[in-house]
Amino acid sequence: MTDLLTSLHDALTRARHHGADHADALIMRSQNRSAMIRQGKAEGIRHAEGLSLSLRVFHQGRVASVSGNDLTTHALDQLAERACAMAQAVPPSPGDGLAEHPLIPLPQEAITKLDLFDSTPTPEIDALLATAKEMEGTALAHKGITNSSGAAASASTHDIALATSAGFAGQYQRSGHSRSISVVAGTGPHMQRDYAFHNAVHQADLHNPTHLGDEAARHALARLNPIRPKTGFYPVLFAPRVSSSLLAHFAAAINGAAIVQEASFLKDKRGAALFHKGITLTDDPTLPRLAGSRPFDGEGSATLPLNLVENGQLNHWLLDSRCARKLGFPTSNGRAVRSGGSVRPGLSTFYLHPGDHSPSALQSDIKEGVLLTELMGNAINMLTGDYSRGGSGFMIRNGEIAEPVSGITIAGNLLEMFARLIPANDLDLMAGYHAPTIRIDHMSLAGD
């Protein structure tokens, strides 16, 4: 990967030559293979390779970004010249600039400990097809499973390199593997669909195809003959595959960009107790073998674990350098992420710490409630925190899981929901879930 750093340094040198005060550049090189099976026949085979360089330049308080996929000397010179010409023409952008404290040098052990690259050979298309076929065959063998929406398997590798004119230079590799399947149970108007999936950095950590096929079939069959409960207020359990969505809403509300724009219902809540005591929410980019982990952020800053919420209290916004300056903080907290030339605050591995009780213990005292296993739509007002989503799942009656439900809408206000949130003890980050089962009492449910 040294060729990538050589190209980055070349791009930065040429940006300075064309008048940039400072600059940073990112290269991403990727390979992806994927295969899909539907009803035993190959329906989608893809083998793609990509290369992109994004260059960001700063000139007298102005910033401009350009991108390309040609790393030749002449192409890099043209890219840098165009970026600098743009930076001289755009309006000033106060707050933009390089990170104040980049990692110089980047400790190599930080990359090694993360274990983000699977060195075993990437599966060929035939192996991916065989995996998808095994998943689908397993699911279709279940009595009552009548159709398949497809099964897919994929594998990818990414080379990532970032350098800045302040002296930071870092590079690392990551891999990714995924398996997914969706099947249909029943016939006619009574059909129900469900799915199973798993993503992992290392292929060895993936759930096996038989397990996923069985899981998808069981979920679909369990949803047959649903009812619609009466409209009212109920205690609601969010299963792990949907509970992470609550964390996503919270993360959006504490994103520094939203706080700068005063576009968040939490804009005045830093330092406030939003959750029960004992609730902790952590963003941790240092956890080995997880897709969200990284050795440095999108500006070359250190990435350290950060308790955004501790003992129920909101302590931090998500900050890149620009948002930190805008909000009066001396530096970012290493939460910058990049998409091409765009830099913004974002997450790594953000998770809710588990509670003390099992899911069954959390539901044991519920006389009548709902377990949500799927959510649809997204009517979230980020200015007020008002929450409304469609859903399906199962009734809880006298502490036990009962008949399936569908066609319901749950509603509330996120501030009130956070204050009542109770986590179970079933967090499983390796399964791809960033929150355990969550209980929230007294939620509005629209049904019959």
Side-chain angles (χ1 to χ4, degrees):
M1 293 205 1
T2 54
D3 59 319
L4 300 187
L5 284 181
T6 299
S7 296
L8 288 177
H9 288 305
D10 195 6
L12 296 177
T13 299
R14 293 175 185 281
R16 296 298 294 269
H17 172 75
H18 287 291
D21 300 325
H22 299 285
D24 61 13
L26 173 77
I27 290 179
M28 294 192 67
R29 182 167 58 193
S30 62
Q31 295 184 350
N32 181 276
R33 296 173 184 168
S34 61
M36 179 176 176
I37 288 284
R38 188 173 185 276
Q39 293 290 357
K41 297 181 180 179
E43 200 167 80
I45 295 175
R46 183 172 178 266
H47 186 171
E49 298 184 4
L51 174 68
S52 66
L53 180 146
S54 300
L55 175 66
R56 189 171 61 146
V57 302
F58 305 92
H59 176 74
Q60 296 181 359
R62 295 169 167 84
V63 60
S65 300
V66 294
S67 60
N69 55 16
D70 188 343
L71 302 185
T72 62
T73 299
H74 178 65
L76 291 177
D77 188 70
Q78 286 188 318
L79 196 71
E81 184 177 16
R82 187 166 77 250
C84 291
M86 291 170 58
Q88 294 175 28
V90 298
S93 182
D96 274 308
L98 299 179
E100 288 84 352
H101 305 293
L103 283 166
I104 304 173
L106 171 67
Q108 182 58 39
E109 60 268 22
I111 298 176
T112 303
K113 287 180 180 179
L114 291 178
D115 196 11
L116 295 179
F117 185 71
D118 187 349
S119 60
T120 59
T122 302
E124 299 291 342
I125 292 295
D126 286 347
L128 295 173
L129 283 170
T131 295
K133 190 171 184 178
E134 183 179 352
M135 277 190 291
E136 185 182 66
T138 299
L140 291 174
H142 284 251
K143 184 179 179 180
I145 298 297
T146 55
N147 207 341
S148 167
S149 301
S154 69
S156 62
T157 60
H158 301 272
D159 299 333
I160 301 161
L162 174 69
T164 79
S165 59
F168 172 83
Q171 56 184 357
Y172 65 100
Q173 292 178 289
R174 66 163 65 250
S175 55
H177 299 267
S178 70
R179 294 169 179 170
S180 62
I181 178 171
S182 175
V183 293
V184 175
T187 58
H190 304 293
M191 290 188 298
Q192 294 290 330
R193 177 201 60 84
D194 216 300
Y195 62 91
F197 71 94
H198 193 213
N199 303 320
V201 169
H202 287 255
Q203 186 177 1
D205 294 336
L206 279 175
H207 291 164
N208 68 60
T210 299
H211 172 91
L212 292 170
D214 284 334
E215 181 182 338
R218 289 196 308 270
H219 286 167
L221 291 167
R223 293 178 61 165
L224 288 173
N225 304 312
I227 66 162
R228 293 187 71 199
K230 293 181 179 179
T231 296
F233 291 91
Y234 294 83
V236 173
L237 294 186
F238 293 75
R241 65 176 183 167
V242 296
S243 59
S244 296
S245 65
L246 297 175
L247 272 62
H249 302 320
F250 177 76
I254 64 168
N255 190 289
I259 304 302
V260 167
Q261 297 167 5
E262 297 190 346
S264 167
F265 66 97
L266 296 181
K267 62 184 176 64
D268 300 318
K269 298 296 184 181
R270 194 172 72 91
L274 302 181
F275 299 83
H276 285 305
K277 288 186 176 180
I279 297 291
T280 299
L281 289 162
T282 298
D283 186 60
D284 191 347
T286 69
L287 297 173
R289 297 171 80 103
L290 292 181
S293 296
R294 58 190 184 222
F296 51 85
D297 80 346
E299 296 178 306
S301 296
T303 51
L304 299 172
L306 185 66
N307 288 340
L308 296 163
V309 171
E310 192 164 9
N311 204 26
Q313 178 177 297
L314 172 61
N315 290 331
H316 302 280
W317 307 129
L318 297 169
L319 298 175
D320 61 3
S321 292
R322 180 179 184 274
C323 290
R325 295 183 189 111
K326 290 277 190 179
L327 294 169
F329 292 92
T331 184
S332 80
N333 48 30
R335 264 58 204 174
V337 298
R338 296 182 79 113
S339 177
S342 174
V343 179
R344 68 188 191 284
L347 297 166
S348 57
T349 301
F350 180 45
Y351 65 97
L352 169 63
H353 288 235
D356 298 325
H357 303 291
S358 67
S360 58
L362 279 191
Q363 73 186 38
S364 63
D365 66 337
I366 295 177
K367 184 177 180 180
E368 187 174 46
V370 174
L371 168 66
L372 288 171
T373 59
E374 187 169 19
L375 290 169
M376 296 154 281
N378 196 1
I380 313 299
N381 187 325
M382 293 306 296
L383 291 175
T384 65
D386 289 336
Y387 175 97
S388 178
R389 298 194 67 180
S392 60
F394 300 87
M395 291 300 298
I396 301 171
R397 299 191 189 282
N398 298 317
E400 301 291 336
I401 302 300
E403 67 272 21
V405 297
S406 66
I408 61 175
T409 300
I410 58 167
N413 182 275
L414 286 169
L415 266 177
E416 297 171 359
M417 292 164 64
F418 295 154
R420 296 195 296 264
L421 181 153
I422 303 172
N425 65 359
D426 57 339
L427 177 70
D428 189 351
L429 289 173
M430 291 303 293
Y433 300 128
H434 289 188
T437 299
I438 287 173
R439 174 171 169 170
I440 301 177
D441 288 342
H442 200 68
M443 290 204 66
S444 173
L445 185 150
D448 277 340

